[in-house]
Amino acid sequence: MAAALRPSNRVLLQALQTLVYPGVGGSGSVSCRCPLGAKRYLLTDNVVKLKEFQQKKVAIACNLSGTKEMYFRNLKEKLTQNKLILKGELITLLHLCESRDHVELAKNIIYRYHAENKNFTLGEYKFGPLFMRLCYELNLEESAVELVKDQHLRGFFSDSTSFNILMDMLFIKGKYKSALEVLIEMKNQNVKFTTDTYVLAFAICYKLNEVAKAMSIFSQIMNPESIACVNLNIIIHIQSNMLENLIKTLKNAAEGNLSKFVKRNVFSEEVLAKVREKVKDVPALVAKFDEIYGILHITGQVTTDSLDAVLCHTPKDRKSHMLLLNKRMFSRRTSQPLSQSLLAE
């Protein structure tokens, strides 16, 4: 597959291999260690919601009538007596599980519940993300993969969040082939891909060296104005010896719109040092670079963060933006909804 890539794509892939993943792409690779021992995340906390899930587990356990053992025993009796499993019972059960044995009982209950309710899915509660968070907490990703692939449970995991959490779980554990199988299963079940899905898919394909697929996905998910992309673009120019274009790119960034309200590109000091090292033997370019370098500092477009730090950041949650939007949906003076045209924005 690599042979079919355009030269520019090969350069991009080489840059990513060298800079993003440790031990890949030959000598001189940079280990992707984040400051203060932080870890790269593919999903935001607002998607995984593990802390929220754990808090609810505590609340449900505290308000339970009787003991957990009694609750589990009653559900086992329901299974043996072929009695109807209620939605609330399954929700409570998934919040009470604390071990692999508990999850085995939950799986049996899920099969029964789905068999009884698979024809009544309209507006039904989504159990998939809840089960995935349980498996995430207990490190039972293999149990989750088993259920996702089971044809008898088709429709139970009908949402993208379930698949995304599972792929994230597998990726963190280094189980890239299993993660790819889950991605394929998601596609086969016609579950809609989200932005998170594409991010995960790129990471999975890249780790498996599925070059053509990874590059295709990369083009769909990367924001060219993000700080990571801006700096990777400079590295690509360096490695491909496109020095004139490199200086032009930096000059355009330094001399662009001067309004303080317009977001400007920010460059890592580490990356700029690599640029100067590259052009040091070309006097005309060194002079131009030094001038641009000075302007970038004056305009506040240089960060002391290393390239690792730039690449290894936790993505922001979108939840806070939605809360802000909801607050603005009503006029403070009249307490009436703002214009429909504004809400449509």
Side-chain angles (χ1 to χ4, degrees):
M1 287 187 289
L5 292 176
R6 296 192 301 273
S8 60
N9 282 349
R10 291 197 193 95
V11 173
L12 173 57
L13 182 63
Q14 183 181 357
L16 286 168
Q17 285 178 326
T18 302
L19 293 168
V20 182
Y21 296 105
V24 179
S27 61
S29 62
V30 180
S31 175
C32 189
R33 285 198 287 270
C34 302
L36 302 179
K39 141 189 200 183
R40 268 193 99 195
Y41 291 90
L42 294 172
L43 294 184
T44 65
D45 291 336
N46 193 40
V47 176
V48 180
K49 294 183 178 179
L50 187 59
K51 185 176 180 180
E52 183 179 319
F53 169 70
Q54 292 171 332
Q55 289 172 339
K56 194 167 183 180
K57 283 187 74 171
V58 173
I60 288 179
C62 290
N63 293 318
L64 189 66
S65 176
T67 66
K68 291 183 182 181
E69 290 70 22
M70 288 174 57
Y71 194 87
F72 293 142
R73 188 161 57 249
N74 290 338
L75 283 181
K76 286 179 181 177
E77 289 178 2
K78 272 201 163 190
L79 279 179
T80 57
Q81 296 172 10
N82 205 27
K83 290 184 177 179
L84 188 68
I85 303 296
L86 303 179
K87 177 177 73 174
E89 291 175 327
L90 179 51
I91 293 174
T92 298
L93 173 63
L94 292 174
H95 282 96
L96 293 178
C97 290
E98 294 181 332
S99 68
R100 182 180 294 272
D101 288 341
H102 291 166
V103 173
E104 286 302 313
L105 171 61
K107 285 162 62 176
N108 291 333
I109 296 291
I110 285 172
Y111 280 106
R112 171 67 64 79
Y113 182 87
H114 185 64
E116 295 169 346
N117 297 277
K118 61 184 176 183
N119 296 323
F120 305 95
T121 56
L122 185 61
E124 186 55 50
Y125 182 88
K126 300 293 184 184
F127 285 98
L130 182 58
F131 180 75
M132 291 303 167
R133 289 174 186 123
L134 173 62
C135 291
Y136 205 110
E137 180 190 43
L138 298 179
N139 294 310
L140 295 176
E141 64 278 359
E142 290 169 1
S143 292
V145 172
E146 175 192 338
L147 263 63
V148 158
K149 290 182 174 182
D150 196 320
Q151 298 300 306
H152 294 96
L153 287 178
R154 275 291 183 110
F156 187 83
F157 301 98
S158 60
D159 58 285
S160 60
T161 301
S162 296
F163 287 89
N164 290 342
I165 292 176
L166 177 53
M167 285 188 286
D168 186 68
M169 196 187 332
L170 291 165
F171 186 89
I172 290 172
K173 298 287 187 71
K175 299 179 178 180
Y176 309 122
K177 288 185 178 180
S178 291
L180 180 60
E181 291 173 3
V182 171
L183 178 67
I184 294 170
E185 186 65 32
M186 183 179 182
K187 182 178 180 181
N188 290 341
Q189 293 188 27
N190 297 316
V191 177
K192 185 178 179 181
F193 281 24
T194 65
T195 301
D196 288 329
T197 310
Y198 283 112
V199 172
L200 288 156
F202 167 72
I204 293 164
C205 290
Y206 189 89
K207 280 292 192 180
L208 290 172
N209 201 26
E210 296 200 5
V211 181
K213 288 183 180 179
M215 293 308 306
S216 173
I217 296 167
F218 183 84
S219 67
Q220 298 178 60
I221 65 173
M222 293 303 284
N223 174 7
E225 296 180 356
S226 71
I227 186 171
C229 274
V230 165
N231 284 272
L232 281 175
N233 186 42
I234 297 301
I235 295 296
I236 292 166
H237 278 74
I238 292 172
Q239 294 197 355
S240 59
N241 290 311
M242 297 186 293
L243 302 187
E244 293 288 346
N245 283 339
L246 173 58
I247 296 299
K248 183 178 180 181
T249 298
L250 290 172
K251 183 178 180 181
N252 289 339
E255 299 179 352
N257 194 316
L258 298 179
S259 171
K260 65 180 180 180
F261 300 106
V262 176
K263 182 180 178 182
R264 311 190 74 179
N265 291 338
V266 176
F267 301 91
S268 166
E269 185 77 66
E270 178 188 339
V271 172
L272 294 177
K274 292 179 185 295
V275 175
R276 199 177 199 291
E277 178 67 22
K278 189 69 177 180
V279 301
K280 68 179 182 179
D281 296 326
V282 186
L285 294 183
V286 170
K288 289 181 181 179
F289 172 74
D290 286 343
E291 180 184 355
I292 294 168
Y293 179 81
I295 296 173
L296 290 172
H297 268 279
I298 292 171
T299 55
Q301 292 175 259
V302 180
T303 176
T304 56
D305 289 343
S306 67
L307 187 57
D308 273 0
V310 167
L311 295 173
C312 299
H313 71 282
T314 303
K316 293 180 179 178
D317 285 337
R318 294 181 290 271
K319 187 175 182 180
S320 58
H321 299 295
M322 292 305 298
L323 290 174
L324 181 60
L325 176 61
N326 290 336
K327 288 180 181 178
R328 290 178 176 172
M329 288 172 67
F330 291 87
S331 166
R332 290 181 180 177
R333 182 174 63 83
T334 64
S335 295
Q336 295 297 316
L338 300 179
S339 68
Q340 292 299 316
S341 60
L342 176 61
L343 294 181
E345 299 273 339

